[in-house]
Amino acid sequence: MSINRREFLQTLAIASAGGLGLHSSFSAAQKSADQFYEIPKFGNVHLLHFTDCHAQLLPMHYREPNVNIGIGSQMNRMPHLVGDYFLKANHLSAATLDAHAFTYLNFIDAANSYGRMGGFAHLATLVKQLKASRPGALLLDGGDTWQGSATALWSNGQDMANAALALGVDIMTAHWEMTLGEVRVMEIINTDFKGKIEFLAQNIKTTDFEDPVFPSYSLRNMNGVQVAIIGQAFPYTPIANPAYFTPNWTFGIQEEHLQKTIDEVVKKGAKVVVLLSHNGMDVDLKLASRVRGLHAILGGHTHDGVPIPVKVKNPGGITLVTNAGSNGKFLGVLDFDVKGGKPVDFRYQLLPIFSNLIPEDLSMANLIQKMRSPYESRLQEPLATTDALLYRRGNFNGSFDQLILDGLLAQKDAEIAFSPGFRWGTALLPGQSITMEQLLDQTAITYPYTTVNMMSGSTIKTVLEDVADNLFNPDPYYQQGGDMVRVGGLQYSIDPAASMGNRISEMHLNGQRIDADKNYKVAGWAPVSGESKEKGGEPIWDLVARHLKEIKTVKARRLNTPTIRGMKGNQGIEDI
């Protein structure tokens, strides 16, 4: 890896701020940057893994949560640790590059010091470097790749298909890809990806005869070792997203079929068996305890950056479970040493992608520029500026979510507003301009309709209880990922550890207790029903863009979050 003189000056500043050590020579600073990504080759089976990039082709900021509550057996365990608790559990030091990559701590100052993260041109450089040192290495894409940006929305996923091919992806599975619809998904797979990228999902079948829609696995010979990669798409796609996008396909965890698939690939000679999963970390941990024969689960969906694999015991031995973060911030590197027909050791590192420390791959940079060019004027349309940090991630609210809620309340003249608990969406630092591109980083979906409905107090409670159970059910198989629905106007209390139907209490609006029998005007967006599609509705980005142009400047404001009860001692919460 090499860097030019301008990048060298940036590296000096980054190295000093990040604890890499300030050097007075070009070669010394170059060495420090290189060493951060210098991963010695180990073993004879090599897997590279990224997931949940959500169509972020350019470097960006993404703030990790200060609230990520674990319930029951997951309390105070990875991935439900935040801030200082996270650093301690993963043996990371404060005020370092890793601390910024993996936690929310000192986010604004650290982001200004270390710069942006991710970007496919920088990721491509690292992938090429690692593949060159690891013969036969496979690049695995865990899904949520074709959705999450303006250009992915406007190109119907074509920009990300092109980028995946240029990046050298070998195998992928999926979730949000399905919101492009069955026809478009199959078009990309059967044309762009044919003979180049394998699309795997052992848990997707046809609704009529339960035939497999996609191959369940891929068998590869790597350095004389048979390696099996099994695909696991998001099990709850037709529930979490509109079912009308995939009317002919069924999903589900399909644990029994997975075990049969594992047994099949082992019978065919696989010595290393890996699940490329989009289940979410908690689901993967439970799954790993119940099936035998998996050596590792490379997971996604819940956006958890997990630097140390969790070792899960099961009837067949031990399965390593990891999750590789989101937004192109990380690249996982898993190496197995296989001897005598079985893995005897492994090495794993989750590498944060600091774009100031990795030069762009010019061919990828040129491709991205070419793909963005037709949309550039629309992308750069100015909407407002922000005086506050704008971010999304967290169990209950984020400041960009609050902005969307404020827009819904104002533009729809509503009493209460709901916004989905999506975990994708980039962060903006104070003083930055908010453009249409950055707004679409938060809202770019294929069902963006805004809604206004009259809802009774009892119905509102039911909605909150249902979402809370999805997030906090102690059985991971009943969790569908995502965070709590964001709420504007309404105040309430929540006990995440309570039983279903009993988590939500003390609901108030403007100081008055919510009346179960009274109707309230509620605005929202991203409805999943077919009826809502037929009805239509103003796209959320148009509504928020109008709101931003009216207010001109986004001021810092207190987030509307619930009063959290019963969580004393929970290390998934840090107040800020």
Side-chain angles (χ1 to χ4, degrees):
M1 185 187 300
S2 62
I3 55 179
N4 61 33
R5 179 67 57 174
R6 177 181 62 82
E7 291 165 304
F8 155 65
L9 295 174
Q10 292 176 328
T11 299
L12 282 177
I14 299 296
S16 175
L20 294 176
L22 181 61
H23 301 291
S24 59
S25 70
F26 180 90
S27 60
Q30 163 104 34
K31 185 177 180 181
S32 284
D34 287 351
Q35 286 177 342
F36 191 75
Y37 294 104
E38 192 66 40
I39 310 298
K41 176 181 176 293
F42 177 82
N44 47 7
V45 170
H46 314 292
L47 304 173
L48 311 179
H49 173 233
F50 74 98
T51 189
D52 297 272
C53 75
H54 285 284
Q56 292 303 317
L57 289 173
L58 298 180
M60 48 81 238
H61 297 294
Y62 180 81
R63 178 192 180 275
E64 301 297 336
N66 64 293
V67 182
N68 185 7
I69 296 171
I71 296 298
S73 63
Q74 284 306 113
M75 179 177 172
N76 296 344
R77 296 177 57 191
M78 288 293 294
H80 300 287
L81 301 171
V82 299
D84 291 316
Y85 298 119
F86 183 101
L87 296 181
K88 182 179 180 180
N90 291 283
H91 313 298
L92 301 176
S93 299
T96 61
L97 291 164
D98 282 333
H100 176 54
F102 287 101
T103 75
Y104 73 92
L105 295 169
N106 197 30
F107 183 81
I108 296 174
D109 289 343
N112 282 319
S113 294
Y114 301 140
R116 297 174 188 269
M117 299 190 67
F120 264 48
H122 305 277
L123 179 61
T125 296
L126 186 57
V127 167
K128 287 181 178 179
Q129 174 185 317
L130 291 166
K131 279 196 169 185
S133 67
R134 287 164 165 74
L138 295 175
L139 178 59
L140 310 180
D141 173 357
D144 279 5
T145 305
W146 307 351
Q147 176 276 335
S149 73
T151 55
L153 180 69
W154 295 338
S155 70
N156 211 15
Q158 191 63 51
D159 65 332
M160 297 311 302
N162 295 344
L165 289 164
L167 189 63
V169 170
D170 295 291
I171 296 170
M172 76 170 294
T173 193
H175 170 206
W176 273 89
E177 285 77 7
M178 300 303 174
T179 63
L180 297 180
E182 292 176 0
V183 172
R184 179 57 176 155
V185 168
M186 298 308 295
E187 182 181 37
I188 291 176
I189 293 170
N190 293 329
T191 56
D192 299 277
F193 285 2
K194 188 174 183 179
K196 299 171 183 176
I197 297 177
E198 291 190 83
F199 192 102
L200 306 179
Q202 72 88 23
N203 59 328
I204 301 181
K205 302 175 182 178
T206 60
T207 55
D208 48 10
F209 300 110
E210 297 189 347
D211 294 325
V213 177
F214 306 102
S216 293
Y217 62 86
S218 176
L219 274 175
R220 302 289 185 102
N221 188 299
M222 189 185 302
N223 304 315
V225 179
Q226 280 282 86
V227 178
I229 308 297
I230 301 172
Q232 177 85 356
F234 181 53
Y236 303 110
T237 296
I239 301 172
N241 307 106
Y244 56 75
F245 287 125
T246 53
N248 301 302
W249 300 345
T250 66
F251 294 73
I253 295 173
Q254 302 289 341
E255 183 183 294
E256 183 177 346
H257 185 260
L258 173 61
Q259 185 64 68
K260 291 179 180 178
T261 303
I262 296 168
D263 295 342
E264 179 180 339
V265 298
V266 170
K267 188 176 181 179
K268 289 184 176 181
K271 306 304 181 186
V272 175
V273 184
V274 173
L275 184 69
L276 178 61
S277 166
H278 204 92
N279 282 331
M281 184 75 176
D282 288 353
V283 176
D284 283 336
L285 289 168
K286 178 176 178 178
L287 185 67
S289 73
R290 293 168 61 88
V291 299
R292 65 188 184 280
L294 284 176
H295 295 101
I297 298 178
L298 298 177
H301 180 60
T302 40
H303 293 197
D304 303 303
V306 180
I308 300 175
V310 178
K311 295 181 180 180
V312 179
K313 293 181 180 180
N314 55 62
I318 290 178
T319 300
L320 306 173
V321 179
T322 74
N323 198 295
S326 67
N327 285 268
K329 281 180 62 175
F330 301 100
L331 180 68
V333 183
L334 176 60
D335 296 320
F336 283 107
D337 188 19
V338 179
K339 293 178 180 177
K342 63 180 181 180
V344 297
D345 203 356
F346 78 95
R347 298 287 186 275
Y348 180 78
Q349 292 201 51
L350 185 57
L351 300 175
I353 309 301
F354 285 94
S355 55
N356 282 339
L357 292 181
I358 306 176
E360 288 186 332
D361 177 80
L362 292 182
S363 61
M364 181 65 82
N366 289 336
L367 174 63
I368 293 171
Q369 183 179 19
K370 180 180 179 181
M371 293 189 299
R372 287 174 57 86
S373 180
Y375 310 112
E376 203 64 50
S377 60
R378 296 169 69 188
L379 293 170
Q380 299 308 319
E381 180 187 355
L383 303 175
T385 58
T386 180
D387 288 345
L389 170 66
L390 296 180
Y391 65 92
R392 167 166 281 165
R393 183 74 169 89
N395 278 165
F396 298 107
N397 207 350
S399 50
F400 215 122
D401 293 304
Q402 187 68 57
L403 175 60
I404 293 172
L405 291 168
D406 292 345
L408 284 166
L409 290 169
Q411 299 297 319
K412 295 297 188 182
D413 191 26
E415 298 171 278
I416 297 170
F418 287 159
S419 187
F422 296 143
R423 292 188 172 186
W424 45 271
T426 58
L428 285 175
L429 302 182
Q432 286 190 265
S433 173
I434 305 173
T435 64
M436 181 58 75
E437 179 171 23
Q438 286 143 355
L439 173 56
L440 281 159
D441 281 351
Q442 315 291 327
T443 58
I445 63 174
T446 52
Y447 52 107
Y449 320 111
T450 54
T451 61
V452 176
N453 294 289
M454 299 304 295
M455 298 175 65
S456 69
S458 61
T459 298
I460 292 170
K461 184 178 188 295
T462 297
V463 169
L464 294 176
E465 291 282 8
D466 286 348
V467 180
D469 192 63
N470 163 57
L471 181 59
F472 297 120
N473 193 299
D475 185 343
Y477 279 13
Y478 290 94
Q479 297 173 10
Q480 297 167 20
D483 284 311
M484 190 67 186
V485 61
R486 282 69 166 105
V487 178
L490 176 73
Q491 289 81 46
Y492 68 97
S493 295
I494 184 170
D495 182 350
S499 60
M500 183 177 181
N502 296 298
R503 293 185 177 92
I504 307 300
S505 62
E506 300 178 21
M507 298 166 51
H508 289 82
L509 180 65
N510 300 322
Q512 299 295 315
R513 187 177 293 275
I514 291 289
D515 185 336
D517 298 321
K518 181 180 176 180
N519 285 330
Y520 299 87
K521 187 176 182 182
V522 181
W525 68 285
V528 298
S529 70
E531 293 80 3
S532 296
K533 178 188 177 184
E534 295 301 320
K535 186 177 179 180
E538 181 183 24
I540 185 63
W541 51 77
D542 286 346
L543 181 149
V544 178
R546 184 168 66 251
H547 180 67
L548 286 169
K549 289 177 180 179
E550 289 177 4
I551 65 174
K552 296 182 174 60
T553 302
V554 177
K555 302 292 185 181
R557 61 161 295 180
R558 186 175 181 274
L559 300 185
N560 185 46
T561 55
T563 299
I564 304 171
R565 303 194 182 282
M567 291 293 103
K568 184 178 181 180
N570 194 300
Q571 297 176 12
I573 308 174
E574 285 190 344
D575 293 329
I576 54 173

